[in-house]
Amino acid sequence: MKPTTERWFHGSINGAVAERLIKEKGVSGSFLVRNSKTKIGHYVLTVRTKDEPSQDDKVTHIMINHHNNKYDVGAGGEKFNSLAELVEHYKRHPMVVEESGTVINMKYPFNATSITALDIDDRVNELLKKSPHMSGKEGFWEEFEHIQHQECKVLFNRKIGQEDRNMLKNRYKMILPYDYTRVILKKPISFRHNNENHHRQQQYQTSENHCNTSLTPTSTNQSSDSDYINANYIKLVDESTTISPRTKPTPNSKIYIATQGPLPNTVNDFWFMVWQERSDCIVMVTKEIERNKNMCYRYWPTIEQKTVQCGPIEIKILSEVPRKAHGDDYTRREFELRYFASDENNDCLASRRVTQYQYFSWPDQRTPSNPDSILSFLEDINRHPTPRSPLIVHCSAGIGRSGALIVIDMLIDQLKYYGLTYEIDIQRIVKVVRSQRSGLVQTEAQYKFIYLAIQRYIASLKQTRYERGDGGIRPICET
Protein backbone atom coordinates (compact mmCIF):
# COMPACT_ATOMS: atom_id res chain seq x y z
CA MET A 1 0.00 0.00 0.00
CA LYS A 2 1.29 3.47 -0.89
CA PRO A 3 2.14 5.63 2.15
CA THR A 4 0.71 8.74 0.47
CA THR A 5 -1.14 9.92 -2.62
CA GLU A 6 1.01 13.05 -2.87
CA ARG A 7 2.49 13.48 -6.32
CA TRP A 8 6.04 14.00 -5.00
CA PHE A 9 6.07 10.31 -4.01
CA HIS A 10 7.72 8.33 -6.82
CA GLY A 11 7.33 4.82 -5.46
CA SER A 12 10.03 2.28 -6.29
CA ILE A 13 12.40 4.22 -8.54
CA ASN A 14 16.04 3.71 -7.55
CA GLY A 15 18.58 6.31 -6.49
CA ALA A 16 20.23 6.61 -9.89
CA VAL A 17 16.90 7.29 -11.64
CA ALA A 18 15.87 9.78 -8.95
CA GLU A 19 19.16 11.62 -9.28
CA ARG A 20 18.91 11.74 -13.08
CA LEU A 21 15.35 13.09 -12.95
CA ILE A 22 16.23 15.79 -10.44
CA LYS A 23 19.36 16.81 -12.34
CA GLU A 24 17.78 16.85 -15.80
CA LYS A 25 14.37 18.30 -15.03
CA GLY A 26 14.53 19.84 -11.56
CA VAL A 27 16.01 23.04 -10.17
CA SER A 28 17.77 23.88 -6.94
CA GLY A 29 15.24 23.12 -4.20
CA SER A 30 13.44 20.37 -6.15
CA PHE A 31 12.70 17.25 -4.11
CA LEU A 32 10.98 13.88 -4.27
CA VAL A 33 10.38 10.92 -1.96
CA ARG A 34 10.85 7.27 -2.95
CA ASN A 35 10.98 3.80 -1.43
CA SER A 36 14.31 2.78 0.06
CA LYS A 37 15.93 -0.09 -1.81
CA THR A 38 18.32 -0.98 1.05
CA LYS A 39 15.94 -0.67 4.03
CA ILE A 40 12.60 -2.16 3.03
CA GLY A 41 9.67 -0.30 4.53
CA HIS A 42 11.63 2.94 4.84
CA TYR A 43 11.91 5.87 2.43
CA VAL A 44 14.44 8.26 0.90
CA LEU A 45 14.17 12.00 0.41
CA THR A 46 16.08 13.10 -2.72
CA VAL A 47 16.79 16.86 -2.93
CA ARG A 48 18.69 19.07 -5.35
CA THR A 49 20.75 21.52 -3.30
CA LYS A 50 23.59 24.04 -3.61
CA ASP A 51 27.12 23.05 -2.63
CA GLU A 52 28.16 25.93 -0.39
CA PRO A 53 31.84 26.27 -1.41
CA SER A 54 31.34 25.95 -5.17
CA GLN A 55 27.67 26.97 -5.45
CA ASP A 56 27.24 24.09 -7.89
CA ASP A 57 24.05 22.07 -7.77
CA LYS A 58 24.28 18.63 -6.24
CA VAL A 59 21.82 15.91 -5.23
CA THR A 60 21.47 14.75 -1.64
CA HIS A 61 19.71 11.57 -0.47
CA ILE A 62 18.33 11.45 3.09
CA MET A 63 16.91 8.35 4.77
CA ILE A 64 13.40 8.67 6.19
CA ASN A 65 12.90 6.13 8.94
CA HIS A 66 9.54 4.46 9.46
CA HIS A 67 8.93 2.83 12.86
CA ASN A 68 5.65 2.20 14.69
CA ASN A 69 3.70 4.26 12.14
CA LYS A 70 5.94 7.29 12.76
CA TYR A 71 8.34 8.98 10.32
CA ASP A 72 11.61 10.80 11.07
CA VAL A 73 14.91 11.73 9.38
CA GLY A 74 17.32 10.69 12.15
CA ALA A 75 17.74 9.55 15.70
CA GLY A 76 16.44 12.14 18.11
CA GLY A 77 14.66 14.04 15.35
CA GLU A 78 11.04 15.07 15.43
CA LYS A 79 8.59 12.30 14.60
CA PHE A 80 5.56 12.70 12.33
CA ASN A 81 2.34 10.77 11.79
CA SER A 82 2.69 10.71 7.99
CA LEU A 83 5.12 11.34 5.17
CA ALA A 84 3.06 14.34 4.13
CA GLU A 85 3.41 15.91 7.59
CA LEU A 86 7.18 15.35 7.55
CA VAL A 87 7.55 16.90 4.10
CA GLU A 88 5.39 19.92 4.96
CA HIS A 89 7.40 20.52 8.15
CA TYR A 90 10.77 20.51 6.38
CA LYS A 91 9.47 22.69 3.56
CA ARG A 92 8.90 25.36 6.22
CA HIS A 93 11.96 24.56 8.36
CA PRO A 94 15.16 23.72 6.43
CA MET A 95 17.17 20.82 7.83
CA VAL A 96 20.95 20.52 8.11
CA VAL A 97 22.76 17.29 7.20
CA GLU A 98 25.06 16.58 10.17
CA GLU A 99 27.87 14.85 8.26
CA SER A 100 28.31 17.55 5.59
CA GLY A 101 26.62 20.58 7.06
CA THR A 102 24.56 20.91 3.89
CA VAL A 103 21.41 23.02 4.34
CA ILE A 104 18.43 21.30 2.75
CA ASN A 105 15.90 23.74 1.37
CA MET A 106 12.89 21.84 0.03
CA LYS A 107 11.08 24.34 -2.17
CA TYR A 108 9.66 22.63 -5.25
CA PRO A 109 8.02 19.20 -5.23
CA PHE A 110 9.21 17.18 -8.21
CA ASN A 111 5.95 15.48 -9.01
CA ALA A 112 5.60 12.05 -10.55
CA THR A 113 3.32 11.77 -13.58
CA SER A 114 3.40 7.98 -13.90
CA ILE A 115 0.82 5.93 -11.98
CA THR A 116 -0.75 2.51 -12.23
CA ALA A 117 -4.24 2.48 -13.68
CA LEU A 118 -5.60 1.32 -10.34
CA ASP A 119 -4.41 4.60 -8.75
CA ILE A 120 -6.15 6.91 -11.24
CA ASP A 121 -8.77 8.13 -8.72
CA ASP A 122 -6.11 9.19 -6.21
CA ARG A 123 -4.12 10.97 -8.91
CA VAL A 124 -7.13 12.86 -10.29
CA ASN A 125 -8.10 13.93 -6.76
CA GLU A 126 -4.56 15.23 -6.19
CA LEU A 127 -4.58 17.12 -9.49
CA LEU A 128 -7.93 18.71 -8.64
CA LYS A 129 -6.41 20.34 -5.56
CA LYS A 130 -5.64 24.03 -5.89
CA SER A 131 -2.09 24.84 -4.89
CA PRO A 132 -1.18 28.09 -3.06
CA HIS A 133 2.28 28.19 -4.69
CA MET A 134 0.61 28.06 -8.14
CA SER A 135 -1.75 31.00 -7.50
CA GLY A 136 -4.61 28.68 -6.64
CA LYS A 137 -4.41 26.71 -9.89
CA GLU A 138 -5.02 22.98 -10.11
CA GLY A 139 -2.33 20.37 -10.62
CA PHE A 140 -3.57 19.86 -14.19
CA TRP A 141 -2.37 23.37 -14.97
CA GLU A 142 1.09 22.60 -13.56
CA GLU A 143 1.48 19.43 -15.63
CA PHE A 144 0.23 21.12 -18.79
CA GLU A 145 2.48 24.16 -18.30
CA HIS A 146 5.47 21.83 -18.09
CA ILE A 147 4.49 20.42 -21.50
CA GLN A 148 4.12 23.92 -22.92
CA HIS A 149 7.58 24.93 -21.71
CA GLN A 150 9.13 21.72 -23.04
CA GLU A 151 7.65 22.32 -26.49
CA CYS A 152 9.29 25.74 -26.62
CA LYS A 153 12.61 23.85 -26.69
CA VAL A 154 11.59 21.68 -29.66
CA LEU A 155 13.36 22.79 -32.83
CA PHE A 156 12.01 20.48 -35.55
CA ASN A 157 11.86 22.01 -39.03
CA ARG A 158 8.55 23.03 -40.60
CA LYS A 159 10.00 24.40 -43.82
CA ILE A 160 7.94 22.45 -46.38
CA GLY A 161 4.66 23.94 -45.18
CA GLN A 162 6.17 27.42 -45.48
CA GLU A 163 7.01 27.09 -49.16
CA ASP A 164 5.08 29.51 -51.37
CA ARG A 165 3.36 26.77 -53.34
CA ASN A 166 2.12 25.15 -50.12
CA MET A 167 1.10 28.10 -47.95
CA LEU A 168 -2.42 28.23 -49.37
CA LYS A 169 -2.89 24.59 -48.37
CA ASN A 170 -2.67 25.48 -44.68
CA ARG A 171 -5.90 26.33 -42.87
CA TYR A 172 -3.98 28.28 -40.22
CA LYS A 173 -0.68 29.83 -41.22
CA MET A 174 0.97 29.16 -37.84
CA ILE A 175 -0.07 25.48 -37.64
CA LEU A 176 2.33 23.58 -39.87
CA PRO A 177 3.45 19.93 -39.89
CA TYR A 178 6.93 18.92 -38.81
CA ASP A 179 8.91 17.97 -41.90
CA TYR A 180 10.27 14.73 -40.47
CA THR A 181 6.88 13.15 -39.64
CA ARG A 182 4.74 14.71 -42.38
CA VAL A 183 2.68 12.57 -44.73
CA ILE A 184 4.32 12.73 -48.16
CA LEU A 185 1.91 12.33 -51.08
CA LYS A 186 3.46 9.97 -53.61
CA LYS A 187 1.37 10.93 -56.61
CA PRO A 188 1.91 9.03 -59.86
CA ILE A 189 3.07 10.96 -62.92
CA SER A 190 -0.41 10.61 -64.37
CA PHE A 191 -2.07 12.24 -61.37
CA ARG A 192 -1.88 15.82 -62.61
CA HIS A 193 -3.21 14.96 -66.06
CA ASN A 194 -5.96 12.85 -64.52
CA ASN A 195 -6.79 15.53 -61.98
CA GLU A 196 -7.16 18.23 -64.63
CA ASN A 197 -9.26 16.02 -66.93
CA HIS A 198 -11.67 15.21 -64.13
CA HIS A 199 -11.81 18.87 -63.11
CA ARG A 200 -12.90 19.92 -66.62
CA GLN A 201 -15.39 17.07 -66.74
CA GLN A 202 -16.86 18.09 -63.38
CA GLN A 203 -17.19 21.74 -64.38
CA TYR A 204 -19.33 20.63 -67.31
CA GLN A 205 -21.41 18.25 -65.20
CA THR A 206 -21.94 20.83 -62.49
CA SER A 207 -23.20 23.49 -64.87
CA GLU A 208 -25.60 20.99 -66.49
CA ASN A 209 -26.89 19.30 -63.35
CA HIS A 210 -26.78 22.24 -60.92
CA CYS A 211 -24.90 20.14 -58.37
CA ASN A 212 -23.50 21.55 -55.15
CA THR A 213 -20.41 23.34 -56.41
CA SER A 214 -18.91 23.39 -52.92
CA LEU A 215 -17.73 19.86 -53.58
CA THR A 216 -16.16 20.49 -56.96
CA PRO A 217 -12.40 20.13 -56.48
CA THR A 218 -10.59 23.08 -58.00
CA SER A 219 -7.17 23.15 -59.55
CA THR A 220 -6.75 26.85 -58.72
CA ASN A 221 -4.07 27.22 -56.04
CA GLN A 222 -3.77 23.44 -55.87
CA SER A 223 -0.43 22.27 -57.17
CA SER A 224 -1.27 18.75 -58.30
CA ASP A 225 2.38 17.72 -58.47
CA SER A 226 3.14 18.86 -54.91
CA ASP A 227 3.70 16.13 -52.34
CA TYR A 228 2.47 18.36 -49.49
CA ILE A 229 -0.50 17.97 -47.18
CA ASN A 230 -0.83 19.42 -43.68
CA ALA A 231 -0.74 16.05 -41.92
CA ASN A 232 1.60 14.04 -39.67
CA TYR A 233 1.96 10.41 -38.68
CA ILE A 234 1.42 9.94 -34.94
CA LYS A 235 2.69 6.89 -33.04
CA LEU A 236 2.93 5.86 -29.41
CA VAL A 237 6.64 5.21 -28.78
CA ASP A 238 9.09 5.38 -25.89
CA GLU A 239 10.07 8.95 -25.09
CA SER A 240 13.72 8.22 -25.95
CA THR A 241 12.91 6.64 -29.35
CA THR A 242 14.23 8.41 -32.43
CA ILE A 243 11.13 8.79 -34.59
CA SER A 244 11.05 8.39 -38.36
CA PRO A 245 8.34 7.37 -40.85
CA ARG A 246 9.58 3.79 -40.47
CA THR A 247 9.46 3.76 -36.66
CA LYS A 248 7.07 1.11 -35.40
CA PRO A 249 4.64 2.10 -32.64
CA THR A 250 4.41 0.42 -29.25
CA PRO A 251 2.85 -3.07 -29.56
CA ASN A 252 -0.95 -3.06 -29.51
CA SER A 253 -1.12 0.57 -30.61
CA LYS A 254 -2.45 2.04 -33.84
CA ILE A 255 -0.72 4.39 -36.24
CA TYR A 256 -2.64 7.65 -36.61
CA ILE A 257 -2.60 10.52 -39.05
CA ALA A 258 -3.47 13.88 -37.50
CA THR A 259 -4.49 16.41 -40.11
CA GLN A 260 -6.38 19.66 -40.53
CA GLY A 261 -9.94 19.82 -41.83
CA PRO A 262 -9.73 19.97 -45.65
CA LEU A 263 -9.93 23.29 -47.48
CA PRO A 264 -11.64 23.70 -50.89
CA ASN A 265 -8.23 23.48 -52.55
CA THR A 266 -7.02 20.44 -50.57
CA VAL A 267 -9.97 18.06 -51.00
CA ASN A 268 -8.21 16.15 -53.79
CA ASP A 269 -5.05 15.82 -51.72
CA PHE A 270 -7.03 14.62 -48.70
CA TRP A 271 -8.72 11.81 -50.62
CA PHE A 272 -5.45 10.88 -52.32
CA MET A 273 -3.90 10.55 -48.84
CA VAL A 274 -6.78 8.29 -47.75
CA TRP A 275 -6.19 6.15 -50.85
CA GLN A 276 -2.40 6.13 -50.62
CA GLU A 277 -2.36 5.16 -46.93
CA ARG A 278 -5.06 2.53 -47.47
CA SER A 279 -6.96 4.02 -44.54
CA ASP A 280 -10.41 2.58 -44.04
CA CYS A 281 -11.53 4.92 -41.24
CA ILE A 282 -11.74 8.72 -40.88
CA VAL A 283 -12.62 10.34 -37.55
CA MET A 284 -13.91 13.91 -37.79
CA VAL A 285 -14.15 15.80 -34.48
CA THR A 286 -15.71 19.06 -35.63
CA LYS A 287 -18.74 20.56 -37.29
CA GLU A 288 -18.29 22.16 -40.69
CA ILE A 289 -19.28 25.55 -39.23
CA GLU A 290 -19.02 26.58 -35.57
CA ARG A 291 -20.03 30.01 -34.27
CA ASN A 292 -20.32 31.28 -37.86
CA LYS A 293 -16.74 30.24 -38.60
CA ASN A 294 -15.73 27.75 -41.27
CA MET A 295 -14.02 24.90 -39.47
CA CYS A 296 -13.89 22.26 -42.20
CA TYR A 297 -14.88 22.08 -45.85
CA ARG A 298 -17.41 19.35 -46.61
CA TYR A 299 -15.28 16.91 -48.54
CA TRP A 300 -17.85 14.14 -49.07
CA PRO A 301 -21.03 13.91 -51.16
CA THR A 302 -24.48 14.21 -49.65
CA ILE A 303 -27.04 11.43 -50.01
CA GLU A 304 -28.72 13.55 -52.70
CA GLN A 305 -25.48 14.02 -54.65
CA LYS A 306 -24.48 10.35 -54.33
CA THR A 307 -21.01 10.82 -55.81
CA VAL A 308 -18.26 13.39 -56.17
CA GLN A 309 -15.09 13.15 -58.25
CA CYS A 310 -11.84 14.26 -56.61
CA GLY A 311 -9.14 13.99 -59.24
CA PRO A 312 -8.87 10.34 -60.25
CA ILE A 313 -10.86 9.20 -57.18
CA GLU A 314 -14.64 8.94 -57.17
CA ILE A 315 -16.31 9.01 -53.76
CA LYS A 316 -19.76 7.44 -53.56
CA ILE A 317 -21.79 7.65 -50.36
CA LEU A 318 -23.43 4.34 -49.46
CA SER A 319 -25.08 5.21 -46.16
CA GLU A 320 -25.40 7.96 -43.56
CA VAL A 321 -26.65 6.93 -40.12
CA PRO A 322 -27.19 9.42 -37.26
CA ARG A 323 -26.30 7.98 -33.86
CA LYS A 324 -26.21 9.01 -30.21
CA ALA A 325 -23.59 8.48 -27.53
CA HIS A 326 -24.94 9.33 -24.07
CA GLY A 327 -27.07 12.09 -25.53
CA ASP A 328 -24.41 13.51 -27.85
CA ASP A 329 -24.85 13.25 -31.60
CA TYR A 330 -22.52 11.73 -34.15
CA THR A 331 -22.93 10.33 -37.66
CA ARG A 332 -21.45 7.29 -39.33
CA ARG A 333 -21.05 7.40 -43.10
CA GLU A 334 -19.96 4.63 -45.44
CA PHE A 335 -18.23 5.42 -48.73
CA GLU A 336 -17.00 3.50 -51.72
CA LEU A 337 -13.83 4.90 -53.29
CA ARG A 338 -13.00 4.08 -56.90
CA TYR A 339 -9.71 4.99 -58.58
CA PHE A 340 -9.91 5.66 -62.32
CA ALA A 341 -7.25 5.41 -65.00
CA SER A 342 -6.06 8.56 -66.75
CA ASP A 343 -6.30 7.14 -70.26
CA GLU A 344 -9.16 7.63 -72.71
CA ASN A 345 -10.92 4.48 -71.50
CA ASN A 346 -11.24 5.92 -68.00
CA ASP A 347 -11.40 2.43 -66.49
CA CYS A 348 -11.89 1.85 -62.77
CA LEU A 349 -8.62 0.35 -61.55
CA ALA A 350 -9.60 -0.47 -57.96
CA SER A 351 -12.20 0.22 -55.28
CA ARG A 352 -12.29 0.32 -51.48
CA ARG A 353 -14.67 0.96 -48.59
CA VAL A 354 -14.07 3.79 -46.11
CA THR A 355 -16.04 4.63 -42.96
CA GLN A 356 -16.23 8.17 -41.59
CA TYR A 357 -17.34 9.04 -38.04
CA GLN A 358 -18.29 12.67 -37.39
CA TYR A 359 -18.70 13.76 -33.75
CA PHE A 360 -20.69 16.98 -33.27
CA SER A 361 -20.48 17.75 -29.54
CA TRP A 362 -16.87 18.80 -29.02
CA PRO A 363 -16.59 22.62 -29.29
CA ASP A 364 -13.38 24.16 -30.61
CA GLN A 365 -10.68 24.59 -27.89
CA ARG A 366 -13.07 23.18 -25.29
CA THR A 367 -14.24 19.72 -24.19
CA PRO A 368 -17.37 17.57 -24.35
CA SER A 369 -19.67 17.84 -21.37
CA ASN A 370 -19.52 14.11 -20.70
CA PRO A 371 -16.53 11.74 -21.00
CA ASP A 372 -18.93 8.82 -21.45
CA SER A 373 -20.04 10.13 -24.85
CA ILE A 374 -16.47 10.14 -26.22
CA LEU A 375 -15.83 6.69 -24.77
CA SER A 376 -18.97 5.34 -26.48
CA PHE A 377 -17.95 7.07 -29.71
CA LEU A 378 -14.52 5.42 -29.60
CA GLU A 379 -16.07 2.08 -28.69
CA ASP A 380 -18.12 2.21 -31.89
CA ILE A 381 -15.01 3.07 -33.93
CA ASN A 382 -12.99 0.30 -32.25
CA ARG A 383 -15.53 -2.46 -32.78
CA HIS A 384 -13.56 -3.35 -35.89
CA PRO A 385 -10.18 -5.11 -35.56
CA THR A 386 -7.19 -2.82 -35.04
CA PRO A 387 -6.40 -1.47 -38.52
CA ARG A 388 -3.03 -2.08 -40.10
CA SER A 389 -3.35 1.19 -41.99
CA PRO A 390 -3.39 4.61 -40.27
CA LEU A 391 -6.51 5.91 -38.56
CA ILE A 392 -7.05 9.43 -39.93
CA VAL A 393 -8.21 11.96 -37.32
CA HIS A 394 -9.02 15.61 -37.95
CA CYS A 395 -10.82 18.53 -36.37
CA SER A 396 -10.28 22.01 -37.79
CA ALA A 397 -6.59 22.66 -37.15
CA GLY A 398 -5.78 19.02 -36.48
CA ILE A 399 -4.11 19.62 -33.10
CA GLY A 400 -6.51 20.25 -30.19
CA ARG A 401 -9.49 17.96 -30.31
CA SER A 402 -7.65 15.57 -32.63
CA GLY A 403 -4.73 15.30 -30.22
CA ALA A 404 -6.91 14.69 -27.16
CA LEU A 405 -8.92 12.00 -28.94
CA ILE A 406 -5.76 10.27 -30.19
CA VAL A 407 -4.20 10.19 -26.70
CA ILE A 408 -7.42 8.82 -25.15
CA ASP A 409 -7.59 6.10 -27.81
CA MET A 410 -3.90 5.22 -27.32
CA LEU A 411 -4.43 4.76 -23.59
CA ILE A 412 -7.56 2.67 -24.09
CA ASP A 413 -5.65 0.33 -26.42
CA GLN A 414 -2.92 -0.14 -23.80
CA LEU A 415 -5.39 -0.69 -20.96
CA LYS A 416 -7.31 -3.25 -23.00
CA TYR A 417 -4.15 -5.23 -23.53
CA TYR A 418 -2.16 -4.84 -20.32
CA GLY A 419 -4.98 -4.47 -17.79
CA LEU A 420 -5.27 -2.31 -14.71
CA THR A 421 -1.66 -2.73 -13.59
CA TYR A 422 -0.57 -0.75 -16.67
CA GLU A 423 1.61 2.28 -15.89
CA ILE A 424 -0.15 5.41 -17.14
CA ASP A 425 1.82 8.58 -17.82
CA ILE A 426 -0.46 11.02 -19.62
CA GLN A 427 2.04 13.87 -19.53
CA ARG A 428 4.70 11.67 -21.19
CA ILE A 429 2.31 10.52 -23.92
CA VAL A 430 1.24 14.08 -24.70
CA LYS A 431 4.93 15.08 -24.98
CA VAL A 432 5.55 12.12 -27.28
CA VAL A 433 2.69 12.97 -29.66
CA ARG A 434 3.62 16.66 -29.58
CA SER A 435 7.10 15.72 -30.75
CA GLN A 436 5.41 14.43 -33.92
CA ARG A 437 2.92 17.25 -34.57
CA SER A 438 3.23 20.59 -32.83
CA GLY A 439 0.50 21.59 -30.39
CA LEU A 440 -1.38 18.30 -30.14
CA VAL A 441 -3.69 18.66 -27.11
CA GLN A 442 -4.06 22.40 -27.33
CA THR A 443 -5.48 23.51 -23.97
CA GLU A 444 -5.31 22.71 -20.27
CA ALA A 445 -9.03 21.84 -20.40
CA GLN A 446 -8.37 19.21 -23.09
CA TYR A 447 -5.45 17.84 -21.05
CA LYS A 448 -7.69 17.54 -17.99
CA PHE A 449 -10.41 15.90 -20.10
CA ILE A 450 -7.97 13.13 -21.07
CA TYR A 451 -7.53 12.30 -17.38
CA LEU A 452 -11.28 12.38 -16.73
CA ALA A 453 -12.06 10.21 -19.76
CA ILE A 454 -9.44 7.62 -18.78
CA GLN A 455 -10.61 7.69 -15.18
CA ARG A 456 -14.13 6.94 -16.38
CA TYR A 457 -12.89 4.20 -18.72
CA ILE A 458 -10.92 2.53 -15.91
CA ALA A 459 -13.99 2.66 -13.65
CA SER A 460 -16.06 0.88 -16.30
CA LEU A 461 -13.22 -1.61 -16.85
CA LYS A 462 -13.10 -2.40 -13.13
CA GLN A 463 -16.85 -2.91 -13.02
CA THR A 464 -16.95 -5.10 -16.14
CA ARG A 465 -14.12 -7.33 -14.98
CA TYR A 466 -15.41 -7.51 -11.41
CA GLU A 467 -18.70 -8.79 -12.79
CA ARG A 468 -16.71 -11.26 -14.88
CA GLY A 469 -15.08 -12.53 -11.71
CA ASP A 470 -11.40 -11.67 -12.17
CA GLY A 471 -11.39 -8.70 -9.82
CA GLY A 472 -10.74 -6.19 -12.57
CA ILE A 473 -6.99 -6.76 -12.65
CA ARG A 474 -6.24 -9.35 -15.32
CA PRO A 475 -5.41 -8.00 -18.80
CA ILE A 476 -7.57 -8.98 -21.74
CA CYS A 477 -4.58 -10.45 -23.58
CA GLU A 478 -1.87 -12.25 -21.66
CA THR A 479 1.68 -11.22 -22.57
Side-chain angles (χ1 to χ4, degrees):
M1 183 176 175
K2 289 172 59 176
T4 181
T5 60
E6 296 287 347
R7 290 183 292 142
W8 40 252
F9 182 69
H10 285 243
S12 296
I13 65 171
N14 61 34
V17 171
E19 193 159 323
R20 177 176 58 80
L21 286 172
I22 288 284
K23 281 182 175 178
E24 290 180 0
K25 300 179 180 179
V27 295
S28 182
S30 293
F31 69 91
L32 61 84
V33 178
R34 56 188 174 85
N35 291 324
S36 171
K37 295 291 186 182
T38 56
K39 295 177 67 176
I40 305 303
H42 299 263
Y43 305 93
V44 177
L45 173 66
T46 300
V47 192
R48 183 165 164 175
T49 60
K50 288 280 187 187
D51 182 67
E52 291 300 330
S54 66
Q55 287 299 298
D56 291 334
D57 281 359
K58 67 177 184 178
V59 176
T60 303
H61 304 278
I62 301 164
M63 182 65 69
I64 299 176
N65 301 307
H66 181 212
H67 295 291
N68 300 321
N69 293 323
K70 297 289 184 179
Y71 300 83
D72 66 74
V73 293
E78 188 170 352
K79 298 185 183 299
F80 301 90
N81 292 321
S82 68
L83 271 180
E85 282 186 18
L86 182 148
V87 167
E88 285 303 312
H89 174 81
Y90 287 111
K91 281 170 68 177
R92 294 190 299 270
H93 308 286
M95 69 176 83
V96 178
V97 179
E98 291 183 4
E99 295 83 355
S100 63
T102 301
V103 178
I104 304 297
N105 288 295
M106 296 162 52
K107 296 180 180 179
Y108 312 110
F110 188 88
N111 292 326
T113 56
S114 178
I115 53 166
T116 62
L118 288 168
D119 294 328
I120 187 70
D121 291 338
D122 289 340
R123 177 51 52 87
V124 168
N125 289 336
E126 285 296 319
L127 291 171
L128 285 168
K129 291 179 181 178
K130 295 182 178 179
S131 173
H133 78 272
M134 293 188 298
S135 304
K137 293 183 174 67
E138 295 177 345
F140 295 108
W141 177 86
E142 180 189 18
E143 285 196 1
F144 187 71
E145 278 300 294
H146 174 76
I147 295 169
Q148 296 284 73
H149 289 308
Q150 288 295 110
E151 179 148 346
C152 292
K153 302 175 184 178
V154 173
L155 300 173
F156 299 124
N157 287 330
R158 291 181 279 190
K159 294 180 179 178
I160 305 299
Q162 295 175 332
E163 292 179 0
D164 290 343
R165 64 175 180 167
N166 294 328
M167 280 302 291
L168 289 174
K169 292 188 174 188
N170 300 313
R171 180 171 287 276
Y172 304 99
K173 64 181 181 179
M174 299 302 293
I175 299 175
L176 304 174
Y178 289 138
D179 293 345
Y180 85 111
T181 56
R182 74 182 181 94
V183 177
I184 298 173
L185 300 180
K186 304 176 181 69
K187 299 174 184 175
I189 297 174
S190 60
F191 185 87
R192 180 166 189 165
H193 172 71
N194 196 324
N195 193 28
E196 291 171 352
N197 283 349
H198 281 297
H199 171 62
R200 285 193 293 270
Q201 183 182 28
Q202 274 193 295
Q203 283 184 317
Y204 173 76
Q205 289 174 343
T206 301
S207 63
E208 289 295 309
N209 300 328
H210 304 286
C211 292
N212 182 348
T213 56
S214 68
L215 277 170
T216 301
T218 63
S219 55
T220 304
N221 294 329
Q222 179 161 329
S223 177
S224 298
D225 58 347
S226 170
D227 66 8
Y228 178 76
I229 187 169
N230 192 316
N232 295 93
Y233 298 106
I234 309 296
K235 304 167 187 176
L236 178 58
V237 296
D238 293 332
E239 197 169 2
S240 59
T241 300
T242 301
I243 302 168
S244 74
R246 294 184 179 181
T247 302
K248 292 184 178 179
T250 299
N252 317 301
S253 179
K254 305 178 185 73
I255 297 174
Y256 303 83
I257 289 176
T259 185
Q260 67 180 19
L263 291 159
N265 59 316
T266 65
V267 173
N268 289 18
D269 290 338
F270 177 84
W271 282 115
F272 185 82
M273 177 178 71
V274 173
W275 185 272
Q276 170 185 290
E277 300 298 325
R278 306 186 71 86
S279 296
D280 59 7
C281 187
I282 302 166
V283 180
M284 177 177 179
V285 201
T286 183
K287 296 177 182 177
E288 294 148 68
I289 298 175
E290 294 181 20
R291 292 175 291 177
N292 297 317
K293 181 180 177 182
N294 291 323
M295 307 302 286
C296 179
Y297 194 75
R298 181 166 56 80
Y299 53 88
W300 64 92
T302 63
I303 292 292
E304 292 74 25
Q305 284 177 299
K306 294 184 181 178
T307 64
V308 62
Q309 194 78 36
C310 295
I313 302 171
E314 178 191 82
I315 298 92
K316 179 181 180 181
I317 188 164
L318 303 176
S319 65
E320 182 175 72
V321 182
R323 299 189 174 192
K324 280 192 177 291
H326 290 269
D328 289 342
D329 296 323
Y330 71 97
T331 293
R332 173 176 170 156
R333 301 181 181 95
E334 296 283 345
F335 303 109
E336 181 185 38
L337 273 57
R338 299 200 297 167
Y339 197 106
F340 287 90
S342 60
D343 57 25
E344 58 185 19
N345 294 325
N346 202 29
D347 294 328
C348 176
L349 301 178
S351 64
R352 294 179 197 153
R353 294 287 183 94
V354 174
T355 305
Q356 181 217 44
Y357 295 85
Q358 183 181 7
Y359 186 82
F360 297 102
S361 301
W362 195 330
D364 186 32
Q365 297 196 358
R366 289 183 284 170
T367 63
S369 58
N370 183 3
D372 285 322
S373 65
I374 278 293
L375 295 177
S376 294
F377 178 63
L378 285 170
E379 183 181 11
D380 192 6
I381 294 169
N382 288 324
R383 281 198 175 98
H384 306 289
T386 302
R388 295 181 180 178
S389 54
L391 176 65
I392 295 174
V393 182
H394 76 84
C395 46
S396 183
I399 58 172
R401 292 169 283 186
S402 297
L405 184 127
I406 287 171
V407 171
I408 292 169
D409 193 54
M410 283 177 168
L411 284 162
I412 287 174
D413 282 345
Q414 299 304 299
L415 287 164
K416 281 180 180 177
Y417 193 85
Y418 293 109
L420 295 177
T421 56
Y422 175 66
E423 287 280 330
I424 293 174
D425 192 336
I426 290 174
Q427 187 188 74
R428 182 192 76 81
I429 292 177
V430 172
K431 286 195 283 188
V432 166
V433 299
R434 276 193 169 203
S435 72
Q436 297 167 70
R437 182 170 173 86
S438 177
L440 285 178
V441 186
Q442 197 172 9
T443 66
E444 177 198 345
Q446 291 168 353
Y447 183 77
K448 179 178 178 179
F449 183 76
I450 295 170
Y451 266 101
L452 299 180
I454 294 304
Q455 180 188 30
R456 185 70 193 92
Y457 178 76
I458 290 171
S460 66
L461 205 59
K462 287 179 183 177
Q463 183 63 30
T464 299
R465 295 183 177 182
Y466 178 79
E467 292 170 354
R468 197 173 65 188
D470 61 17
I473 307 298
R474 184 172 60 84
I476 288 175
C477 302
E478 300 294 346
T479 56

